[in-house]
Amino acid sequence: MLRRTALVLAASAAALLGTVPPAAQAHSGPGGPVLPSAVLPSAGVPSVKVPGLGAGPGFGAGQDRLTVTVRDAGAGDGTYVLRCRPAGGDHPDVKGACGRLAELAAQGQDPFAPVPRDAMCTMQYGGDATARVEGSWRGRAVDASFARTDGCRIARWDRLVPVLPSTGS
């Protein structure tokens, strides 16, 4: 705990002095302060190591159950149930979607984290597609909304394919 506090203080001091880019600054996460481990250069979206998302014994007890609602994405529109651990539901690609979520968790990333408020995003439009994911994943509640209204949000959506449908744009 003392080490984490020291790291957060060091990162905060560096941020105040202007030596750390905003996307690499410490911020609050579900388990307290979190230090981003890297920034995805193509999207400007931090790749955050979230405490409690890594694999390990006894981790994320219980079944993952998500309801994925997609609108204006074309062939992928609809409301689907996705269950992982064990896999099931009526999602079009249960195995691929659960695999992608497990891959992101193994990397310590929160697939449902919003785009940071201070993220610098390209001004591009990826279409009218929207999605909402609700339920529980890895032992915590999920209620996340997705859109393709700028480069950061397009990258966030694309990172979750095949949980969310590929829009082809």
Side-chain angles (χ1 to χ4, degrees):
M1 182 70 182
L2 184 59
R3 182 174 178 225
R4 176 190 279 177
T5 303
L7 287 172
V8 170
L9 289 174
S12 297
L16 288 172
L17 295 173
T19 59
V20 178
Q25 295 175 9
H27 64 279
S28 276
V34 177
L35 293 174
S37 62
V39 174
L40 300 173
S42 63
V45 178
S47 170
V48 179
K49 298 292 185 186
V50 178
L53 289 186
F59 171 74
Q63 183 185 62
D64 299 333
R65 186 182 192 288
L66 300 169
T67 301
V68 180
T69 302
V70 180
R71 290 195 170 86
D72 300 320
D77 285 4
T79 298
Y80 309 101
V81 172
L82 174 63
R83 288 190 308 272
C84 302
R85 301 177 318 134
D90 61 358
H91 188 280
D93 185 1
V94 171
K95 184 177 178 182
C98 290
R100 181 63 181 142
L101 291 173
E103 179 183 352
L104 291 169
Q107 295 170 4
Q109 296 183 33
D110 179 359
F112 307 108
V115 173
R117 292 177 197 241
D118 62 348
M120 296 180 68
C121 306
T122 58
M123 294 179 66
Q124 65 188 88
Y125 185 67
D128 294 331
T130 61
R132 185 165 184 184
V133 180
E134 300 172 283
S136 64
W137 180 75
R138 301 275 168 163
R140 69 178 179 93
V142 172
D143 187 355
S145 295
F146 296 82
R148 300 180 59 81
T149 54
D150 62 39
C152 295
R153 285 157 184 80
I154 292 169
R156 181 175 176 246
W157 179 296
D158 289 347
R159 187 173 64 141
L160 270 187
V161 171
V163 177
L164 301 178
S166 174
T167 62
S169 59

